[in-house]
Structure formats: C-alpha cells, structure tokens
C-alpha cells in the first residue's frame, strides 16, 4: 500500500505534466480559445459599475498617467523617436502627402477653424490688452507705410526736381522722430498710435477671415503639397528643429500632468466614462473598444508561445507550476483524504 505522501507526490507530478501539455503545441490554441470564451461568458454577467468603483478608477487612471507619463523609457525614447521619424521621412519618396492624409478631413478642419468667429474675436480682443503686441502691430503698419513710401520715392526720384523735395521731407521726418523721442506728450500720442495700429490690424484680420477666400487659399496651399513626396516635409525644418520641438512638447505634457487642475480634468473624464458605460457588462464593453474575443485570443497566441517556450527552457515553467501546487498536495487536508481513500475501507492499493 502506498503512503498518502507518495500518492500526493505522484498526483503532483501528473498535474504538472498535464498543465505543461495544456500550453504546448496545438493544444495551447485550443486552451486559449476555450478559456477566452469562458472568461467572456463570465464577463457578460458582470456589470462594470458593480466591479469597479468610480474612486478606484480615478486613482488607477491617475497612477497610469503618473507612472507611464514620467517613465524613464518614454523620456529616453522621445528624442530617439523624433530622430528616427525624421530620418525615415528624409529617405521616403514612395508616398505623397495626399496618400498619407486624406483631403476631406483637412478641408473640414480648416473650414471649422476659419469659421470659429467667436474664438477669433476673443483672441483679437485680448491682443489689444498687450502693450507689446500693440507696439509690434504699430511697427508692422509703419513698415507697410515705409515700404509704400520708399517705392513711391524711387518712382518720384526719376522725375527731375522731385528728388530734392523728397530729401527735404525725409529730413523733416527724421527731426520729428527725434523730437518724439524726447517728448512725453508725443510719447503718449505714440502709445495711442500703437493701439490704433493694433485695432486697425485686428480689423483687417477680421475682414480677411470673414470675407476673403482664406479657406480656398489654404486648400490651394494643401493641394500644392499633396502630390509631393512625404520627404519634402523635411524642407520645413531640420532634424535638430524637430528633435527640440518634440522634447519641448514632451516637457509641457510632463509638467502639465503634475498640476492639480490636470487631475481634476482626469477625474471629470472618468466620471463621464462611468455615466456612459457604467451599466455595460464587461463583455459588452469590448465591442465599444473595437475588440472581440477572437482579437484577444489572437493577440495571446501571437506572443504566448514564445513566452512559454522561454519559460519552459531549463525546466523553469515546470518548477514554477510545482511550487504553486505543492502546498496543496502536501497539505494535511489532502493527506487525510488520501489516507482515507487508501485505508482498509477505501479499497485502494498501490
């Protein structure tokens, strides 16, 4: 008669071999299909709101953003990705921009941007509150006027006698500028002039966006580039420019996620998600995510065999399975059951 301990060891060996066979060869695909179907059947009975509490979800989302967003891997790879993309773009002459990006969504996006009159009005109004922007607008208007005057002077100087008059006028203008620099009153007038110039510039921008065919011009600009190779994009910036821009955007994202307000936005998104999907079962949410049971099984089978093959190497997987099951088979409960089954009344023999 075998001792209960010996029988337990044999049962343990048998189950370890059984489980190893479950994840080996063609059997693995059958097991994954079976278990995926079973899990989804259970998931179809579980309502999302009953399984996950909203406060737990908020904490999880915040943790994911904190850990992944600030991970060393992402920080190290951002610049590398930018360089790699630039190198690929620089070498790729097989695709045109129009093949990569459809024209229709671009046209719709531009139409929406140019039609956002409320945003345009607000931006232009806020610009008038900036003295520096007013000064820039004033210089812009002055530049236009000076260029216009210069062009007219060049034409006028071709007429005999007019050259002297133009020189006299320029001398008077220079003296006026010097007086303006030393006069507070004139300085105040200059400040008001800058504000006036900004308002005139804003009005011109408003009229251009509302009346001029800006949308058509933008689409014409797009069409000029749509048939060119994607590699042509590198003419707009250097590899160094792209690398620095990506790193700056990454820095903005990283520092923004640390702000309290960003956490409030995340919480609000979680609440909206719960409002919309809280009463879905876990299985019903898969189609909403664009997934199916077959998709899940396919992805497991894509990576699972290689992982298991590596774990089986040198008996690692068998040892792990044995370590998990051994406490059960060596427990007093199992020994007692085996002792009863192999005793005089059990009728079992070795």
């Amino acid at each position: 008669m075998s001792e209960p301990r010996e029988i337990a060891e044999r049962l343990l060996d048998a189950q370890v071999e059984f489980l190893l066979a479950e994840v080996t060869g063609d059997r693995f695909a059958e097991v994954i299909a079976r278990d995926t179907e079973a899990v989804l059947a259970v998931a179809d009975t579980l309502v999302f709101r009953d399984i996950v509490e909203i406060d737990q979800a908020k904490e999880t989302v915040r943790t994911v953003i904190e850990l992944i967003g600030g991970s060393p891997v992402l920080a190290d790879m951002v610049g590398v990705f930018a360089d790699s993309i630039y190198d690929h773009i620089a070498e790729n002459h097989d695709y045109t921009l129009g093949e990569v990006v459809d024209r229709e969504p671009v046209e719709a996006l531009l139409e929406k941007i140019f039609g956002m009159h409320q945003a345009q009005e607000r931006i232009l109004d806020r610009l008038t509150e900036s003295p520096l922007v007013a000064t820039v607008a004033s210089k812009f208007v002055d530049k236009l006027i000076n260029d216009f005057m210069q062009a007219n002077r060049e034409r006028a100087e071709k007429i005999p006698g007019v050259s002297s008059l133009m020189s006299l006028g320029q001398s008077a203008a220079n003296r006026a500028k010097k007086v303006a620099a030393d006069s507070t009153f004139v300085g105040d007038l200059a400040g008001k002039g800058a504000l006036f110039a900004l308002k005139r510039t804003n009005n011109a921008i408003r009229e251009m966006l509302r009346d001029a065919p800006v949308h058509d011009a933008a689409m014409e600009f797009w069409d000029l580039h749509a048939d060119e190779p994607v590699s042509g994009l590198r003419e707009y910036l250097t590899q160094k420019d792209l690398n620095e821009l990506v790193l700056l955007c990454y820095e903005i994202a990283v520092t923004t996620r640390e702000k309290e307000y960003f956490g409030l936005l995340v919480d609000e998104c979680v609440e909206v998600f719960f409002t919309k999907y809280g009463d879905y079962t876990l299985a019903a949410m898969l189609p909403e995510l664009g997934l199916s049971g077959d998709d899940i099984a396919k992805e497991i089978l894509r990576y699972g065999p290689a992982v298991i093959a590596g774990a089986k190497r040198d008996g690692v997987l068998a040892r792990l399975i044995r370590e998990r099951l051994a406490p059960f088979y060596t427990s007093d409960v199992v020994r007692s059951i085996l002792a009863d089954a192999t005793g005089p009344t059990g009728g079992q023999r070795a």
Side-chain angles (χ1 to χ4, degrees):
M1 180 185 302
S2 299
E3 294 292 333
R5 181 180 183 84
E6 180 184 348
I7 297 175
E9 290 289 345
R10 290 167 57 189
L11 288 173
L12 175 58
D13 291 340
Q15 185 165 13
V16 170
E17 292 300 323
F18 175 80
L19 292 177
L20 288 174
E22 289 275 271
V23 295
T24 300
D26 295 338
R27 179 61 182 155
F28 182 57
E30 297 175 7
V31 170
I32 293 301
R34 178 200 67 195
D35 291 349
T36 301
E37 183 178 356
V39 169
L40 291 180
V42 174
D44 201 31
T45 66
L46 303 176
V47 177
F48 182 74
R49 192 187 302 277
D50 296 337
I51 302 301
V52 182
E53 295 182 3
I54 189 168
D55 290 337
Q56 293 176 329
K58 290 179 180 179
E59 190 64 29
T60 298
V61 173
R62 286 188 178 221
T63 300
V64 170
I65 294 174
E66 175 67 25
L67 296 180
I68 296 180
S71 65
V73 171
L74 189 57
D76 292 340
M77 295 304 295
V78 165
V80 178
F81 286 151
D83 291 340
S84 178
I85 290 173
Y86 189 92
D87 290 339
H88 180 69
I89 290 176
E91 297 177 357
N92 195 307
H93 304 280
D94 299 330
Y95 299 94
T96 65
L97 186 60
E99 292 174 334
V100 176
V101 182
D102 291 337
R103 188 180 193 276
E104 289 75 13
V106 173
E107 184 173 15
L109 175 62
L110 291 175
E111 185 174 356
K112 180 59 179 178
I113 292 175
F114 293 128
M116 295 170 62
H117 300 308
Q118 179 178 345
Q120 296 163 9
E121 292 287 341
R122 182 56 176 164
I123 291 172
L124 293 174
D125 288 341
R126 291 307 299 266
L127 286 176
T128 59
E129 300 174 9
S130 170
L132 182 58
V133 174
T135 301
V136 172
S138 178
K139 291 184 177 180
F140 175 73
V141 173
D142 287 345
K143 177 64 175 174
L144 292 178
I145 295 175
N146 290 338
D147 289 348
F148 175 77
M149 294 296 294
Q150 177 65 25
N152 287 336
R153 183 170 64 247
E154 291 175 355
R155 296 189 184 95
E157 287 177 345
K158 298 177 181 179
I159 303 175
V162 176
S163 177
S164 298
L165 293 175
M166 294 294 293
S167 298
L168 180 62
Q170 184 63 45
S171 177
N174 290 337
R175 286 196 299 271
K177 288 182 180 180
K178 184 177 184 305
V179 172
D182 299 333
S183 172
T184 301
F185 175 73
V186 177
D188 293 339
L189 290 179
K192 295 179 180 178
L195 183 60
F196 174 78
L198 177 58
K199 290 182 178 179
R200 292 294 298 170
T201 304
N202 287 350
N203 289 335
I205 294 174
R206 285 188 178 95
E207 294 175 3
M208 179 187 69
L209 292 176
R210 291 180 180 274
D211 302 329
V214 181
H215 176 267
D216 293 340
M219 289 310 303
E220 186 174 289
F221 176 81
W222 168 262
D223 291 335
L224 288 174
H225 291 77
D227 294 330
E228 296 182 359
V230 174
S231 58
L233 295 174
R234 72 187 188 277
E235 297 177 4
Y236 286 91
L237 72 171
T238 65
Q239 186 172 29
K240 183 174 182 293
D241 290 333
L242 178 61
N243 185 282
E244 292 178 349
L245 283 172
V246 170
L247 289 176
L248 288 172
C249 292
Y250 172 73
E251 182 65 20
I252 292 174
V254 170
T255 54
T256 300
R257 71 183 174 84
E258 298 173 353
K259 302 298 189 295
E260 181 180 356
Y261 182 72
F262 183 79
L264 298 177
L265 294 178
V266 170
D267 290 347
E268 180 64 22
C269 291
V270 172
E271 291 181 6
V272 170
F273 182 87
F274 263 76
T275 300
K276 184 172 179 61
Y277 296 106
D279 295 325
Y280 280 57
T281 65
L282 298 182
M285 288 185 62
L286 288 179
E288 299 296 321
L289 297 173
L291 296 173
S292 66
D294 291 339
D295 295 326
I296 296 174
K298 185 184 299 183
E299 293 305 314
I300 294 175
L301 292 173
R302 189 191 306 276
Y303 303 103
V307 173
I308 291 174
K312 289 178 64 177
R313 193 175 298 121
D314 300 326
V316 174
L317 182 58
R319 187 180 71 249
L320 291 174
I321 294 175
R322 181 177 296 276
E323 289 175 354
R324 300 303 184 275
L325 296 177
F328 169 75
Y329 283 100
T330 58
S331 65
D332 293 338
V333 174
V334 172
R335 288 183 182 181
S336 176
I337 294 174
L338 293 176
D340 293 341
T342 57
T345 59
Q348 300 295 327
R349 299 298 179 191

